[in-house]
Amino acid sequence: MPRIKLEPRAQSSRLMTYLSPLLAVVLTLMGAAVLFAILGRDPLEAYRAFFIDPVSTLYGIGELGVKGAPLILCAIGLAIGFRANVWNIGAEGQFILGAIAGGGVGLFFEPLLGPLTMPAMLIAGALGGLMWAAIPAFLKTRFNANEILTSLMLTYVASLLLNYLVRGPWRDPQGYNFPQSKPFDGYAVFNPFFTGTRLGLGALMALLAVVGGWFLMSRSFLGYQIKVVGLTPAAATYAGFNQKRVVWFCLAISGALAGLAGVNEVAGPIGQLLPTISPGYGFTAIIVAFLGRLHPFGILLAGLLIALSYLGGEAAQISLNLPVAVVGVFQGMLLFFLLACELLVRYRVVIGAPAVQSIAA
Amino acid sequence: MTSRGGLGSVTPRLELRGISKSYPGTIANKNVELSVMPGELHALLGENGAGKSTLVKIIYGVVAADEGEIRWEGRPIAVHDPASARRLGIGMVFQHFTLFETLTVTENIALGLEKERDIRRLARRIEETATKYGLALDPSRYVHDLSVGERQRVEVVRCLMQEPKLLIMDEPTSVLTPQEVERLFDVLRRLAAEGCSILYISHKLGEIMALCQRATVLRQGAVTAQCDPRRETSASLARMMVGSEVLAVKRPGEHKEGDEALTVTDLVLEPDDPFGTRLDHVSLNVRKGEILGIAGVAGNGQTELLRALAGETLAPRSDTIRIEGANAGHLGPAGRRARGLAFVPEERLGRGAVAELSLADNALLTAYLGGNVAAGMVQSGAVRDFASAIVKSYNVVCAGIDAEARSLSGGNMQKFIIGREILQQPRVLIAAHPTWGVDVGAALTIHEALIRLRDAGAAVLVVSEDLDELFEICDRIAVMSKGRISEPKRVGETDIDEIGLLMGGLFEDKQQAVSHAAD
C-alpha cells in the first residue's frame, strides 16, 4: 500500500496564502452545483437564485449590509482574540447578552432617558457582551480554565436567560402570549439611514470596527503584543508583556463588539426581543474571521459573502423550494474547503513508495 | 593514511559513497565519502550547520539520502529506520536525550529492547554491562533523579546492551564536566580496543585531538579534509573546519573594578517544574566594568537562576535582587528593563525572537521603552531605523529587515539578539549561552561585543557550559551545581581543572561550613 503523508513545505507561497480563501469559495461553488444537481435543480438557475437575485434590488443590497454587520462586528472581535490564541467561541452568547442589556434599557428607561436612550442602549449592549465575556476571562486568568469550554457553555446560559425573559417577566402583555417583548418605541428604535433599506447604525459600526481593528492590529503596540502572545508566548514572557492583560483585553473587546451587534440587531431590524434574535451570527462569525484570514479588511469581504449565503438561502427557499438547511451545508462546505486549502498551502501531500522489506541483519 | 598500517587491508565496517542530501533551499550533504574501520575512533568534525547531523541521521536511518550508497562490512545496504540500523549493529547516543523522566533506568532501557521481557533479568544485565565498562549506574533509579552525566550513561549503556559494532556519539561532552569527559573517553577507548568502531561527532578540537585516530572534516555539506587529528594543531583543524584563518579574541588588559551593579543576596526559590532545580541560597554580585561567568553542567539551576534574574520568576523578597543598589526582586521583566537591565535568553527562536515576525518587528520585542513606542502607537520609522542599525553594526547576514526571523541562521539570529540588547545601552547585561551553536565568526563578533560593553562600564553576567568561552572573556568565574553557586574565582588564579572539580559539586562542604559559621 502506498504511504500518504503530509510534509511541511519549506516556504508557503505568499500568493497562495492570499488566494486560498478565493480558491475555497470557488470549490464551494462547485460543490454547491453538485448539491443542486443532486436535489434536481438546474445549477445555473440555482446560482442565480442564490447569489444574484437577492442583491438585484436596492433593498437586497441593503439586506446584505443588515446581515453582514453583526457577522463583521462579531468576527472583528473574535479575530483579535484568535491572533492572541484566545479562543472565544461564545460570541453568540455575548451577542444575546448585548441584546438583553441594551434592549432592557430601551424597554424600561426610554421615557426617562429620552434622546439619550440610543447612546445608553449602545453602552449597555457593549457592557452586557463585555461582562459575559469577562466570565471566561476571569476563569482563564485566575484558574487557567479553558476559554473554549467556558465561553461556549455560557452561550447556552445566555440563550436560556433570553428565553426566560421573553416568556416571563419581559413578555408583552398585548403579545397574544407569544414569547416576545414589547416592540421598542420612540427613541429606542434605531431607524434605517436610507429609505427603502433597513441599513442603519449597525452597518456603520461594523465599518468603524473594521477600521479600528486594522488600526489596533497593525499600528498599536497593544496589537503588537497580541501578535507576539499568540505566536510565541515564551517570547512575550521574555519581553515582559502582561499576558493576562492581553487575555482580558481580547475577551473584553470581542464581547463588547458582539454585544453591540446584539443591541443593534434588536433595536434595528428586529424591533423587539424574541427567542430567535440570531440565526447563529456568533458562531458563523468564527467562519467569517477565518475566511477573512483574521485580517479586518478580509473579514469585511468574508462577512458580506456569508451574508449573501443567508439571503440566497432564503431566496432559494422561496423560489426553488430548497430546504433552508442548504445554507448550513453551504457554510459548512466553505469552512471545510477553507481549512483544506490552508493545510495544503502549508503542507504538501507525499505519496511515497511503501517501505521496502527490511534488510537482513 | 591511517596510523595502524594493517587497517588498510581490512574491509571498512561502514563506508559511505557519494552521499548527497538536500532540503528545499539548502544542501545538507554533497557527495560525502566516509569510511570507518573496525575498532577505529573516527571523528566527524565541522561547524554547526556543516551537515554532520544530517549525515549521521542518514547512517542511523532517520533520514533517507537522495543519492549515494551505504556499505556495511563491504555489502551495500539500505537503512530505512533506526530499528533496522540497530539490527545491523549501529547504536547512537543523541545529543538530546531520549529518556522518559518518570520511568526507571531499567524501564527506559526495556523500551528500546524488543526481546527482553523479564525486567529483573534485564536489571541484572544492565548492571553487568555498566560494571564491565566502569559506568556506575543503579538500574532501579528514576531518570528524573539522575544528573545529566548519569543520564548520558543510561544512553550509552542502552547502546552497549545491543553489542553494537558501530557507536555514533553526537556531541556527547557538551553536558559533562571535564572529569566526566575523561571517564567517557576511557570507555570509548576500551570499546574501540574490543573492536567496536566509534563515530565521534564534535566541534571541540581538543577532544578530537585527544581521542580520535582519524578525522573527516565537513564544511557546508562537503568533505573538505581527512586527517590524523593527533598530528594536527587546533589552529590547523580550525582552518579546515572554517576555511579561513581563525582569529582569537583580543583580551584587553586590566579592568577597572566599579560599584556593584547586580546583586543577589541569599536567593531561595522553589521550582515550578517538579523536575526543576531549587535555587539554594544563591548569592552573587556583578560589578560595573567586569564580566562574571557562571560555569556549570546544564540542569543545575542555571535556567531557574536566569528566569529569576530576568524577572520572569519574581523573587520572594524585593531586596534579594538589587540593580545598582535599588531593590528589584519584585519587578517583572519590563520593570527591570526600565532599570537598565538587558537579557539575552538561551533559546533564540521561540523566546529571544518570534520566528514568524520580521527582523524589524523582532527589534521591537524588547526595545519598547525608548522612542519606538509613543502614546501606545508603534513608531515604525524609528523601529526600522533601530533594526537597520543592529543589522549594520553586528554584520547580521539577512535579506533585509523585513526578512522573517526564521530565515536567519542561528549565528546571525544570535548576533541580532545580542545587538538588540546591547544597542539599548544596558547598564547590566545577562547573556545565557551566548555562542551556543554559533559558528566561529559569529562567536568572535559576540565575544568582542560583550568585552566592548564591559569596557564601556557595564556589568555583564555570562552563563555558559563552554569553559573555553568563559576563560576567554570573563574576569571572574563562579560555578553552579545543584542550585548552589560557588565563590567566584579570578580567571588568572584558577584553571579548567579547578573549575571542573567545582562543577562536580566539590565546593558544597566548604560553603556549608561558611553558612554554618554565619548562623
Side-chain angles (χ1 to χ4, degrees), chain A residues 268-286:
Chain A
I270 297 181
Q272 64 188 148
L273 286 173
L274 301 171
T276 52
I277 52 170
S278 159
Y281 284 137
F283 292 121
T284 311
I286 300 170

Side-chain angles (χ1 to χ4, degrees), chain A residues 219 221 224 232 234-235 238-239 359, chain B residues 78 343 351 361 365 368 376 378:
Chain A
R219 288 289 176 267
F221 186 53
Y224 174 80
T232 314
Y238 157 66
I359 15 86
Chain B
F343 185 63
R351 184 171 285 270
D361 279 345
L365 188 64
Y368 50 80
V378 175

Side-chain angles (χ1 to χ4, degrees), chain B residues 95 97 99 143 145-155 172 174-176 180 297-300 302 465:
Chain B
Q95 188 177 5
F97 300 151
L99 299 172
V143 166
D145 281 338
L146 302 182
S147 73
V148 192
E150 287 171 316
R151 288 178 200 204
Q152 188 181 52
R153 262 176 248 164
V154 179
E155 295 263 359
S174 57
V175 294
L176 303 181
E180 284 174 317
V297 176
N300 271 296
Q302 291 94 328
E465 287 164 32

